Amino acid sequence: MARLKPLSGFPEFLPSGQMVENHVTRILEETFELHGFAPIHTRAVEPMTQLTRKGEIDKEVYVVDRLHADPHDSRSEKDRLGLHFDLTVPFARYVLENAGHLQFPFRRYQIQKVWRGERPQEGRYREFTQADIDIVGDQTLAEHHDVETPLVMLSALERLHTELGFPTVTMHVNNRKLSEGFYRGLGIENPMAVLQRVDKYDKIGPDAVRDLLVDELSLSDDVANKCVALASIQSADDSFIAKVRDLGVTNDMLEEGLDCLNRVVTAVNKAVPGRMVANLKIARGLDYYTGTVYETELTGHESMGSVCSGGRYESLASDGKHVYPGVGISLGLTRLLAPILSRGELSSSRSVPSAVLVAVNTEQDRGTSESIAQTLRSRGIPCEVAPKADKFGKQIKHADRRGIPYVWFPGVEHADHRDIDTVKDIRSGDQIEADAASWNPPAEDLRPGVIGTW
Amino acid sequence: MARLKPLSGFPEFLPSGQMVENHVTRILEETFELHGFAPIHTRAVEPMTQLTRKGEIDKEVYVVDRLHADPHDSRSEKDRLGLHFDLTVPFARYVLENAGHLQFPFRRYQIQKVWRGERPQEGRYREFTQADIDIVGDQTLAEHHDVETPLVMLSALERLHTELGFPTVTMHVNNRKLSEGFYRGLGIENPMAVLQRVDKYDKIGPDAVRDLLVDELSLSDDVANKCVALASIQSADDSFIAKVRDLGVTNDMLEEGLDCLNRVVTAVNKAVPGRMVANLKIARGLDYYTGTVYETELTGHESMGSVCSGGRYESLASDGKHVYPGVGISLGLTRLLAPILSRGELSSSRSVPSAVLVAVNTEQDRGTSESIAQTLRSRGIPCEVAPKADKFGKQIKHADRRGIPYVWFPGVEHADHRDIDTVKDIRSGDQIEADAASWNPPAEDLRPGVIGTW
């Protein structure tokens, strides 16, 4: 084989890293299901017409063609397929396609790979996994789902913190109506243009944002300063309201946004104190959000940017007769894990699931070892049988190289009986007599654990 | 949105179907891990040079291009990427790329989607999920792994049978050396050509195979008849050996194949009686198998063809200095599930994970309902809170439409106390007083079950 270099932008893990990713995925799935979210998977491809509806994104799409497509198949350009670049576009299509079979409000989670033809760089991948939750209504969707959705994601992130040592998180929240109402109250006619520039606040700083607003949008210094002042407001309590009022702008949509943001931040912080901050510079680049918007920072790793973002959209999908509003959050699983797994900073306590290696006395006695392994497995203990009846020292080394903590030694066979088995903890060297029908490893040794630090 | 028709060949499921697929996947993962197989995922794309190494397959490959690839990027044709069409080619590449970090024999499982640009038809998909297990050695791999690998897959299939009511299976096994040695003993110089025609035995019948051998390969009637006679031999015990000997062909490679096949069938049937049959017409179309080959039929659904196939290959991969022999089996998960899920014959007992819907007395009391839900979740009981403080009849209907078996009614709030909660089994109508801190649903109601029949 010629090409052995990894493909840039397509991260893959060694088994010990994959086990960590699977562990994290399991925690996400469990949390989402505890909250009543049902799983779906969508196909990897969508028609290019769907993927390119938003002009901005089409440069990043991978198109997919059959190598030897039928010439008389004459698939037209608009029927061409592309790999999905997020899970929202496919989900919107899925909701429309299956609306008659779904019960609304419909709560689903979806953990799948997505693809973007971006130039690979730290934190940017061409293939990566996202974990999305969304709640979608038929015609309407109550505001309390704007509280529920971040609480579900925060609950998952809290488990990653307490169980796997991930950093704590802070979710930063804003409301599009607040920003848009404020801008309109200032007499600005194209609030989206302002929002797109405010979105760069963290990257380029407040002064540069003000300059953009003045230079590119011809806002007056005073108006531009107020937009930047709004963006600089944040608070973990309701004090953001007074700070906004101090800027002296009045507008009905602004009031609506303030009220809604206040209710969301208050309710979330009541449930999980200190995890949510009203942050009025949060804009989210994509244009389909219409209300609450979320971003999430890892404490101590703020430079990574948001690992988990989303918001409320008044129309996820529409078929003319029905409109489906929704609220959702997407966790960038690969973005969260790949850097730390690739550097080996987070890993699995062993490279295989096996808690026990069952040694083999002689190749003729392999059946005995297999039968012991089968007994252990029937009791939920992952194990494997040594591949060769080597000297025991070599078999122990086989276990040690994989991080398998226990080696099981079958008793020697005699004409009329078999000696009692023993099991050795190869870390401590302790060896005890044991019966495969009753022995248990300590709970912490049953499955590989996650080791390492952020 | 314009296009609402499903894409032919890209099956998707409703949540109740997806939950069945996830349940099956979980059983596969658990079984593979109990046997010490470590998980890996590989990227969806491989260089086309890898995917088209075998001339036959390239017509089925999907090529992947960036919609707006840099013109000065000038990715050459051979660096083009395509979607993988199986999990073996990516695994071989992964082994070479990571050989220095892997411990051999290396046992891995891999459950991922693959893509083939085939014309969609019943049982043929353009996107489908495979579940592969392989054991790969460095330079050598002992024969007992030819026994172990099918036993692991049979163990998973047995769980699907006993826990989810899937049909029982029979694994049909042959050995390439047996067939090749037999053909060579008959003086045939191109055994692969014979094998490719014998591979059609089930589709076109023995007479048509004989005609192909005579017409296309110019074999004599007598030689062609013996090839067909060999292919018609099957037995669950070692009687296949005598039947082969009756055909009067002698050859060393034939003897080697007979011995190996006998050891594999005997050992597997000792562990799981009646699950394996020596079937000398099993050929497997792909040319990389060099020893044992497996196919698997579902009892009563033989017309579906093999749902689970694999074999031994003396060289999965090679980097010049090292050769990596392996043995593996691949389960066609979508092929197994999609027809029966699409027809709704197999489904989930409810369309959501929730065991309980917590009713809401008034919107002001929503916090009470959420706190009850949180208590239930902290004890591992999946639940959701009613989206609206409707009349209880409507809230019960909300649960009923999703198949949620229990509705929880929070006690009414008073100035100084709250009435005791009650929980209602909406199937029986039984309603009892309950405390969220201690109530449990019966174990069979905790998670959605799989219902329906094959």
Side-chain angles (χ1 to χ4, degrees):
Chain A
M1 290 200 175
R3 177 193 265 275
L4 290 172
K5 283 179 310 193
L7 271 182
S8 177
F10 293 86
E12 289 182 337
F13 307 130
L14 289 171
S16 61
Q18 189 62 55
M19 285 193 272
V20 176
E21 191 188 62
N22 289 7
H23 195 136
V24 170
T25 302
R26 194 64 49 91
I27 286 176
L28 296 175
E29 289 170 346
E30 283 177 10
T31 306
F32 301 157
E33 295 191 359
L34 269 179
H35 290 80
F37 286 74
I40 69 163
H41 281 178
T42 56
R43 63 192 187 221
V45 297
E46 298 292 334
M48 287 299 289
T49 43
Q50 290 301 326
L51 295 174
T52 57
R53 278 199 308 160
K54 276 185 266 303
E56 266 286 56
I57 208 90
D58 66 345
K59 66 178 182 303
E60 301 177 358
V61 176
Y62 278 111
V63 278
V64 165
D65 295 295
R66 289 170 63 203
L67 183 57
H68 298 298
D70 265 358
H72 51 271
D73 180 347
S74 78
R75 179 185 283 277
S76 69
E77 195 65 16
K78 78 174 175 52
D79 285 339
R80 258 183 119 182
L81 300 176
L83 295 174
H84 57 218
F85 54 80
D86 71 6
L87 301 177
T88 305
V89 171
F91 177 53
R93 190 261 313 153
Y94 179 96
V95 166
L96 285 185
E97 196 174 301
N98 298 290
H101 302 282
L102 302 175
Q103 304 294 336
F104 295 95
F106 175 52
R107 312 149 72 80
R108 82 86 174 79
Y109 75 89
Q110 191 171 353
I111 304 176
Q112 282 186 248
K113 284 184 175 168
V114 304
W115 293 269
R116 294 185 191 176
E118 298 192 33
R119 195 167 294 280
Q121 46 180 298
E122 176 76 13
R124 296 268 167 203
Y125 302 98
R126 294 187 152 186
E127 175 179 78
F128 54 102
T129 300
Q130 289 194 328
D132 281 27
I133 55 171
D134 286 85
I135 305 176
V136 174
D138 182 354
Q139 308 290 38
T140 60
L141 185 73
E143 185 188 284
H144 59 76
H145 296 296
D146 288 28
V147 175
E148 181 181 21
T149 307
L151 279 177
V152 174
M153 198 54 96
L154 284 168
S155 168
L157 292 165
E158 189 68 17
R159 276 194 64 187
L160 296 182
H161 170 59
T162 55
E163 295 175 25
L164 304 185
F166 281 46
T168 57
V169 301
T170 306
M171 205 175 266
H172 297 263
V173 189
N174 192 8
N175 190 298
R176 278 277 177 98
K177 287 179 182 159
L178 190 164
S179 310
E180 185 178 343
F182 186 89
Y183 303 151
R184 291 200 186 279
L186 283 168
I188 294 170
E189 282 170 15
N190 185 357
M192 265 312 291
V194 179
L195 218 49
Q196 279 161 2
R197 281 150 188 91
V198 167
D199 200 26
K200 301 179 179 168
Y201 191 104
D202 278 337
K203 232 181 231 169
I204 64 178
D207 294 344
V209 169
R210 191 196 47 224
D211 292 347
L212 287 180
L213 294 177
V214 171
D215 297 346
E216 296 183 0
L217 302 184
S218 307
L219 300 190
S220 72
D221 279 354
D222 181 50
V223 166
N225 280 330
K226 286 204 169 170
C227 292
V228 172
L230 183 78
S232 70
I233 295 173
Q234 52 174 296
S235 73
D237 54 22
D238 63 3
S239 61
F240 70 91
I241 300 175
K243 291 179 194 159
V244 174
R245 297 215 194 288
D246 284 349
L247 297 175
V249 177
T250 55
N251 175 278
D252 286 350
M253 190 186 276
L254 167 61
E255 287 305 314
E256 202 187 322
L258 281 169
D259 284 352
C260 177
L261 182 59
N262 188 31
R263 286 192 297 267
V264 169
V265 174
T266 304
V268 169
N269 274 327
K270 196 177 159 200
V272 285
R275 284 284 176 262
M276 186 173 270
V277 169
N279 184 334
L280 275 47
K281 70 171 172 287
I282 301 297
R284 303 301 305 143
L286 295 168
D287 63 8
Y288 50 70
Y289 295 116
T290 51
T292 313
V293 282
Y294 315 94
E295 292 193 356
T296 312
E297 283 182 344
L298 294 179
T299 310
H301 302 263
E302 288 78 4
S303 64
M304 275 179 72
S306 176
V307 295
C308 179
S309 313
R312 152 80 69 155
Y313 29 85
E314 279 318 314
S315 173
L316 168 73
S318 167
D319 59 9
K321 274 189 280 188
H322 286 250
V323 61
Y324 299 94
V327 56
I329 300 190
S330 174
L331 173 71
L333 193 60
T334 304
R335 194 185 159 89
L336 181 67
L337 289 179
I340 198 158
L341 290 181
S342 301
R343 292 194 299 264
E345 289 168 19
L346 214 61
S347 179
S348 204
S349 58
R350 48 192 196 246
S351 68
V352 293
S354 311
V356 180
L357 176 78
V358 182
V360 176
N361 287 333
T362 68
E363 284 303 328
Q364 289 68 44
D365 291 341
R366 176 168 295 280
T368 302
S369 300
E370 273 157 6
S371 146
I372 290 165
Q374 212 39 48
T375 303
L376 291 170
R377 286 179 195 128
S378 71
R379 300 176 47 245
I381 301 167
C383 59
E384 56 194 87
V385 175
K388 205 172 160 200
D390 280 321
K391 288 185 180 162
F392 284 156
K394 251 188 133 174
Q395 297 193 48
I396 290 171
K397 205 168 170 192
H398 178 99
D400 189 42
R401 274 199 302 258
R402 287 159 177 79
I404 301 173
Y406 296 93
V407 176
W408 193 281
F409 298 99
V412 174
E413 304 271 356
H414 298 279
D416 56 345
H417 73 288
R418 187 157 72 83
D419 291 344
I420 197 157
D421 298 351
T422 59
V423 61
K424 180 182 187 122
D425 180 336
I426 64 171
R427 299 160 300 187
S428 65
D430 293 346
Q431 189 161 355
I432 56 166
E433 296 193 339
D435 180 350
S438 59
W439 177 84
N440 280 307
E444 66 271 22
D445 285 336
L446 189 61
R447 312 265 164 211
V450 172
I451 56 170
T453 50
W454 275 80
Chain B
M1 288 197 176
R3 176 193 266 274
L4 289 174
K5 282 179 311 195
L7 271 182
S8 177
F10 292 87
E12 288 182 337
F13 308 129
L14 288 171
S16 61
Q18 189 62 54
M19 284 194 273
V20 176
E21 191 188 61
N22 289 7
H23 194 135
V24 170
T25 303
R26 194 63 49 90
I27 286 176
L28 296 175
E29 289 169 346
E30 283 177 10
T31 306
F32 300 157
E33 294 190 1
L34 270 178
H35 290 81
F37 286 74
I40 70 163
H41 281 180
T42 57
R43 63 192 188 222
V45 297
E46 297 292 334
M48 287 299 288
T49 42
Q50 290 302 325
L51 295 173
T52 57
R53 277 200 307 161
K54 275 185 269 300
E56 266 287 55
I57 208 87
D58 66 346
K59 67 177 181 305
E60 302 176 358
V61 176
Y62 279 112
V63 278
V64 164
D65 295 296
R66 290 170 63 202
L67 184 56
H68 299 298
D70 265 357
H72 51 271
D73 180 346
S74 77
R75 177 186 285 276
S76 68
E77 195 65 16
K78 79 175 176 55
D79 285 340
R80 257 183 120 181
L81 299 176
L83 296 174
H84 57 218
F85 55 81
D86 71 5
L87 301 178
T88 304
V89 171
F91 177 53
R93 190 264 312 154
Y94 179 95
V95 166
L96 284 185
E97 197 173 302
N98 297 291
H101 303 283
L102 303 175
Q103 303 295 336
F104 295 93
F106 174 51
R107 312 149 73 81
R108 83 86 173 80
Y109 75 89
Q110 191 170 352
I111 303 177
Q112 282 187 249
K113 284 183 175 168
V114 304
W115 294 270
R116 294 185 191 176
E118 297 191 33
R119 194 167 295 281
Q121 46 179 299
E122 176 78 13
R124 296 268 167 202
Y125 303 98
R126 293 187 153 185
E127 175 178 79
F128 54 102
T129 300
Q130 290 194 327
D132 282 27
I133 53 171
D134 286 86
I135 305 175
V136 174
D138 181 354
Q139 308 290 39
T140 61
L141 186 73
E143 186 189 283
H144 58 77
H145 295 297
D146 288 28
V147 175
E148 180 181 20
T149 306
L151 278 177
V152 174
M153 197 54 96
L154 284 167
S155 168
L157 292 165
E158 188 68 17
R159 278 194 64 186
L160 297 182
H161 170 59
T162 55
E163 294 176 26
L164 304 185
F166 281 45
T168 56
V169 301
T170 306
M171 206 176 265
H172 297 263
V173 189
N174 192 8
N175 190 298
R176 279 276 177 97
K177 287 179 182 160
L178 190 163
S179 309
E180 184 177 343
F182 186 89
Y183 303 151
R184 290 200 186 278
L186 284 169
I188 294 170
E189 281 172 15
N190 186 356
M192 266 311 291
V194 178
L195 218 50
Q196 279 163 2
R197 283 150 186 92
V198 167
D199 200 25
K200 300 178 178 166
Y201 191 104
D202 279 337
K203 233 181 229 165
I204 64 177
D207 294 344
V209 170
R210 191 197 47 224
D211 291 349
L212 286 181
L213 295 177
V214 172
D215 297 346
E216 296 184 0
L217 301 184
S218 308
L219 301 190
S220 72
D221 279 355
D222 181 49
V223 166
N225 279 331
K226 286 202 169 172
C227 291
V228 171
L230 183 79
S232 71
I233 294 172
Q234 52 174 296
S235 74
D237 54 20
D238 64 3
S239 62
F240 70 89
I241 300 175
K243 290 178 194 158
V244 174
R245 297 216 194 287
D246 284 349
L247 298 175
V249 177
T250 54
N251 175 279
D252 286 350
M253 189 186 277
L254 167 61
E255 288 304 315
E256 202 187 323
L258 281 169
D259 285 351
C260 177
L261 182 58
N262 187 33
R263 285 191 297 266
V264 169
V265 173
T266 304
V268 170
N269 274 327
K270 196 178 159 198
V272 285
R275 285 283 177 264
M276 186 173 270
V277 169
N279 184 334
L280 275 45
K281 71 170 172 287
I282 302 298
R284 303 302 305 142
L286 295 169
D287 63 8
Y288 49 71
Y289 294 115
T290 50
T292 313
V293 283
Y294 316 93
E295 291 193 356
T296 312
E297 283 180 346
L298 293 178
T299 309
H301 303 263
E302 289 77 5
S303 65
M304 276 180 71
S306 175
V307 294
C308 180
S309 313
R312 152 80 68 152
Y313 29 84
E314 280 315 316
S315 172
L316 168 73
S318 168
D319 58 9
K321 272 189 281 187
H322 286 251
V323 61
Y324 299 94
V327 57
I329 299 189
S330 175
L331 173 71
L333 193 60
T334 303
R335 193 185 160 90
L336 181 68
L337 289 179
I340 198 158
L341 290 180
S342 301
R343 293 194 299 265
E345 290 169 18
L346 213 62
S347 179
S348 204
S349 59
R350 49 190 195 248
S351 68
V352 293
S354 310
V356 180
L357 176 78
V358 182
V360 177
N361 286 332
T362 68
E363 284 302 329
Q364 289 68 44
D365 291 340
R366 176 168 294 279
T368 302
S369 300
E370 272 157 7
S371 147
I372 290 166
Q374 213 39 48
T375 304
L376 291 170
R377 286 179 195 126
S378 72
R379 299 176 48 246
I381 301 169
C383 59
E384 57 194 88
V385 175
K388 206 173 159 199
D390 280 320
K391 287 183 180 165
F392 283 154
K394 253 189 133 174
Q395 297 193 50
I396 290 171
K397 206 167 169 193
H398 178 98
D400 190 41
R401 274 199 301 259
R402 288 161 176 77
I404 300 173
Y406 296 93
V407 177
W408 192 281
F409 297 101
V412 174
E413 304 272 356
H414 299 279
D416 56 345
H417 73 288
R418 187 156 72 84
D419 291 344
I420 196 158
D421 298 351
T422 59
V423 62
K424 181 183 187 123
D425 181 335
I426 64 171
R427 298 159 301 186
S428 65
D430 293 347
Q431 188 161 355
I432 56 166
E433 296 192 339
D435 180 348
S438 59
W439 176 85
N440 280 306
E444 65 271 21
D445 286 335
L446 188 61
R447 311 266 165 211
V450 172
I451 55 171
T453 49
W454 276 77

